[in-house]
Amino acid sequence: MTSHDGVPWAFGGNFLATLFRCGLFSSLFLGLTAGFASFFNEKKLEKALHKFAASSAIAFAFSSTATVIYSFSLGDGYLFIYTSYFVRRAIWWIVLAFSLSMASGYINDSWQVAGRTLAGLVPGLFLSGLFADFVCFANHRFFTGSLMIGLGSGLSLGLIVELLKEAWIEQAEKNFFIQQVILDKDEYTIGYEDACDFTIEEFSSILVIFERDGLHVLEVIEGDPVSVNKAKIRYHCLVEDDTIRLGDELWVYRSRYSRGREIIPEGLLGG
């Protein structure tokens, strides 16, 4: 990332170095994002390392493919003579953001995650990348430029995730850092097995939260009923402020599109 052999992220004679830097950056960016989120919520180092390794490999493959395609088309290809340096660099950062977004969607098996990641990374990489190109790298400030790219993309993605999340569960106990699980997949599993999206060792059941007709439904698929609003249930349509006991902790369901209990069919509210 801080090599002084030419401009980082450049093409042409620097293609192999750029390919390596791009793959390394993408692997660390998505790998650490997945691994840290898993470790922060679940405190399971082995599972976090597994998610880091799997996400890193996928990110490397997607970004390397995008780098090769860009290089043949704009980086040093036939369209090179028809575009200015500014346009080529702007397109490059958008292409990198797109590849990372597709990798993120593939990792999470969700087009919603891919779209949200794209919305966060396009402005982040576009602005920080061009700033690094024309201000930092132009003045041989390679470390500062690389730092700007990482910080800009990370902060932009974090802001968009916070603004665009639609439904999530969070710890009822208010701490400085509130644990959250964003429900951005068609089906989100919670249980005692490592194969679950969210693993809780002291939990005796496996449940799934899935979306149906714009509503999130909780269903126990294995084990004992789950306590929702202090009532034992196996099937329940979640509404704002529902409290769910997962192991020894209480979690609260939150939604941007809050719906009152009076509009939910009685049969969906519990059973």
Side-chain angles (χ1 to χ4, degrees), residues 4-132:
H4 287 220
D5 182 22
V7 177
W9 306 91
F11 291 85
N14 248 17
F15 171 70
L16 291 180
T18 295
L19 185 65
F20 172 75
R21 292 188 189 104
C22 178
L24 178 62
F25 170 79
S26 303
S27 297
L28 290 175
F29 188 84
L30 291 187
L32 288 174
T33 298
F36 179 77
S38 176
F39 182 75
F40 181 75
N41 281 330
E42 303 168 272
K43 306 299 188 295
K44 293 175 66 67
L45 180 60
E46 184 177 353
K47 184 176 180 180
L49 290 175
H50 176 76
K51 284 195 171 184
F52 170 80
S55 300
S56 296
I58 294 171
F60 190 93
F62 273 76
S63 61
S64 297
T65 301
T67 303
V68 171
I69 293 174
Y70 174 86
S71 180
F72 279 122
S73 58
L74 277 175
D76 194 31
Y78 294 110
L79 297 178
F80 181 87
I81 59 175
Y82 297 109
T83 55
S84 66
Y85 179 72
F86 177 87
V87 171
R88 291 197 303 273
R89 298 304 292 173
I91 294 176
W92 158 242
W93 295 117
I94 294 175
V95 168
L96 181 59
F98 182 81
S99 69
L100 286 172
S101 302
M102 294 302 100
S104 181
Y106 184 84
I107 291 168
N108 293 280
D109 191 24
S110 171
W111 285 108
Q112 183 180 354
V113 173
R116 191 181 62 201
T117 304
L118 184 65
L121 287 183
V122 165
L125 277 173
F126 181 83
L127 296 176
S128 63
L130 290 179
F131 181 86

Side-chain angles (χ1 to χ4, degrees), residues 29-247:
F29 188 84
L30 291 187
L32 288 174
T33 298
F36 179 77
S38 176
F39 182 75
F40 181 75
N41 281 330
E42 303 168 272
K43 306 299 188 295
K44 293 175 66 67
L45 180 60
E46 184 177 353
K47 184 176 180 180
L49 290 175
H50 176 76
K51 284 195 171 184
F52 170 80
S55 300
S56 296
I58 294 171
F60 190 93
F62 273 76
S63 61
S64 297
T65 301
T67 303
V68 171
I69 293 174
Y70 174 86
S71 180
F72 279 122
S73 58
L74 277 175
D76 194 31
Y78 294 110
L79 297 178
F80 181 87
I81 59 175
Y82 297 109
T83 55
S84 66
Y85 179 72
F86 177 87
V87 171
R88 291 197 303 273
R89 298 304 292 173
I91 294 176
W92 158 242
W93 295 117
I94 294 175
V95 168
L96 181 59
F98 182 81
S99 69
L100 286 172
S101 302
M102 294 302 100
S104 181
Y106 184 84
I107 291 168
N108 293 280
D109 191 24
S110 171
W111 285 108
Q112 183 180 354
V113 173
R116 191 181 62 201
T117 304
L118 184 65
L121 287 183
V122 165
L125 277 173
F126 181 83
L127 296 176
S128 63
L130 290 179
F131 181 86
D133 282 334
F134 292 96
V135 177
C136 301
F137 296 155
N139 295 295
H140 303 284
R141 296 176 180 174
F142 300 104
F143 176 77
T144 304
S146 299
L147 191 63
M148 285 295 302
I149 294 171
L151 287 176
S153 54
L155 290 174
S156 178
L157 178 59
L159 178 62
I160 290 298
V161 168
E162 183 64 27
L163 292 176
L164 296 186
K165 64 183 181 182
E166 296 180 359
W168 67 97
I169 58 174
E170 64 182 25
Q171 279 186 313
E173 183 180 355
K174 299 300 182 182
N175 298 315
F176 183 75
F177 291 106
I178 300 177
Q179 288 181 251
Q180 291 185 353
V181 174
I182 300 177
L183 305 175
D184 50 14
K185 301 173 63 175
D186 292 337
E187 292 187 353
Y188 200 95
T189 56
I190 302 174
Y192 56 85
E193 295 183 348
D194 284 344
C196 295
D197 295 309
F198 184 26
T199 303
I200 304 176
E201 289 185 344
E202 62 272 18
F203 197 39
S204 61
S205 305
I206 296 179
L207 61 89
V208 59
I209 299 177
F210 59 91
E211 188 173 355
R212 175 179 293 176
D213 298 328
L215 301 172
H216 279 97
V217 178
L218 182 152
E219 182 177 7
V220 178
I221 58 177
E222 182 180 323
D224 301 325
V226 175
S227 176
V228 178
N229 302 324
K230 298 183 179 180
K232 294 292 186 178
I233 61 94
R234 301 193 69 89
Y235 189 91
H236 178 79
C237 185
L238 294 168
V239 295
E240 181 77 9
D241 294 330
D242 274 351
T243 58
I244 310 166
R245 179 165 291 279
L246 303 176

